[in-house]
Amino acid sequence: MAHPAFRAAAVRVRVPATSANLGPGFDALGLALGLYDDVVVRVAESGLHLDIAGEGADTVPRDESNLLVRTLRTAFDALGGQPRGLEIVCANRVPHGRGLGSSSAAICAGLVAARAVTTGGEAKLNDVALLELAAEIEGHPDNVAACLLGGFTLAWGESGAVRAIRMEPAAGIVPLVFVPGRPLATETARGLLPRAVPHADAAVNAGRAALLVEALTRRPELLLPATEDRLHQDYRASAMPESMDLVARLRADGVPAVISGAGPTVLALATEGQADKSARLAGDGWTANRLTLDTAGASVLPLTGAAP
């Protein structure tokens, strides 16, 4: 493969927060949310300059170990070669370590930006290859599928490949996220899962996951039973007891609530009438955000200034 040519102009990429699992859809179902990270990437003459504002500005590295930079490097290798230098500006709004897909946002932003700044990038790295590379870096496809495609997604593996479909969420669903003050590492949450689960619990989850597709796309009145989970949330309760308590309180009040991804954020898929009451039920200690459902996924946007 010949060494690629790069565009002189900077590119701006916007990627949404995501919530995975949604209760029963472990490592398969994802939902894109209207909370965004913006990244501007420009090929430079030499070196690496990384400017970060917002979430993670005081904690994430500003060198080659940064996840966004590592993803850009992986993408450029897949596209045929590395640029001489990179200038990157990040405006991060997706909370880190809270189960809202911050790592998937960084991965998808890096892949899309690398492709966009490479001449002929879409021909060299099409959407199918982009999803597979994102899932390989992340380790599972649920968040990255929703981040790339937007909307409500179902991802699966097939003959060693990763596949995903996008579905349109039903109107009237109001996503509420309740973000606690302390993060929880995904590795910690995954480490609490057992190697085997009872057959009866697996059967319940299979039925609920199938019902959730119908509930989220056409019949939101079924979201409360459709979001029941027996596969992962209870096993993780010891790592986030306050989150599980909030899920239980919201569900007891009729609000479809789940742990978002690996937690500890709680996601409620409320109706308009439930939104204010749900926020009151949460009480102190939570940052409550009423969001929209993202329908665009990862997008290359016009560059309107020096920073996103």
Side-chain angles (χ1 to χ4, degrees), residues 206-231:
R208 292 300 192 271
L211 180 61
L212 184 53
V213 173
E214 174 74 3
L216 255 175
T217 58
R218 298 201 299 180
R219 299 185 62 186
E221 70 273 13
L222 296 174
L223 279 170
L224 185 60
T227 49
E228 181 186 357
D229 165 69
R230 297 188 187 180
L231 200 61

Side-chain angles (χ1 to χ4, degrees), residues 30-270:
L31 190 65
L33 302 171
L35 180 66
Y36 301 95
D37 285 351
D38 282 274
V39 174
V40 172
V41 175
R42 188 177 77 85
V43 171
E45 287 300 317
S46 63
L48 171 68
H49 177 78
L50 177 58
D51 185 24
I52 303 170
E55 295 286 339
D58 297 327
T59 57
V60 300
R62 284 173 162 78
D63 55 23
E64 293 285 345
S65 67
N66 179 280
L67 177 58
L68 173 64
V69 177
R70 286 188 281 121
T71 302
L72 283 162
R73 297 301 189 193
T74 299
F76 285 130
D77 282 342
L79 289 161
Q82 297 291 327
R84 294 184 298 274
L86 287 171
E87 294 178 356
I88 307 165
V89 179
C90 303
N92 294 337
R93 303 174 188 90
V94 180
H96 289 196
R98 302 301 198 280
L100 287 170
S102 61
S103 63
S104 290
I107 290 165
C108 294
L111 294 178
V112 172
R115 186 173 73 170
V117 82
T118 302
T119 303
E122 290 194 15
K124 297 175 181 177
L125 192 65
N126 63 25
D127 290 345
V128 173
L130 202 72
L131 172 63
E132 292 194 336
L133 190 52
E136 179 183 341
I137 297 169
E138 177 72 327
H140 45 91
D142 45 2
N143 286 97
V144 294
C147 189
L148 288 171
L149 301 177
F152 171 43
T153 56
L154 170 60
W156 71 97
E158 182 179 330
S159 301
V162 175
R163 299 288 182 261
I165 58 172
R166 180 194 182 282
M167 296 164 279
E168 195 69 33
I173 297 173
V174 181
L176 304 170
V177 293
F178 300 93
V179 184
R182 294 192 303 273
L184 175 65
T186 300
E187 294 79 6
T188 300
R190 283 188 173 267
L192 295 171
L193 298 178
R195 295 181 62 85
V197 297
H199 188 275
D201 288 347
V204 168
N205 260 60
R208 292 300 192 271
L211 180 61
L212 184 53
V213 173
E214 174 74 3
L216 255 175
T217 58
R218 298 201 299 180
R219 299 185 62 186
E221 70 273 13
L222 296 174
L223 279 170
L224 185 60
T227 49
E228 181 186 357
D229 165 69
R230 297 188 187 180
L231 200 61
H232 63 100
Q233 292 185 157
D234 287 343
Y235 295 108
R236 292 166 162 171
S238 61
M240 45 184 156
E242 296 89 354
S243 298
M244 288 299 295
D245 178 67
L246 178 56
V247 167
R249 285 189 283 120
L250 289 168
R251 294 185 69 84
D253 204 57
V255 180
V258 297
I259 298 296
S260 181
T265 290
V266 172
L267 169 71
L269 299 171

Side-chain angles (χ1 to χ4, degrees), residues 14-16 32 36 146-151 166 294-300:
R14 171 166 286 183
V15 288
Y36 301 95
C147 189
L148 288 171
L149 301 177
R166 180 194 182 282
D294 172 79
T295 58
S299 304
V300 179

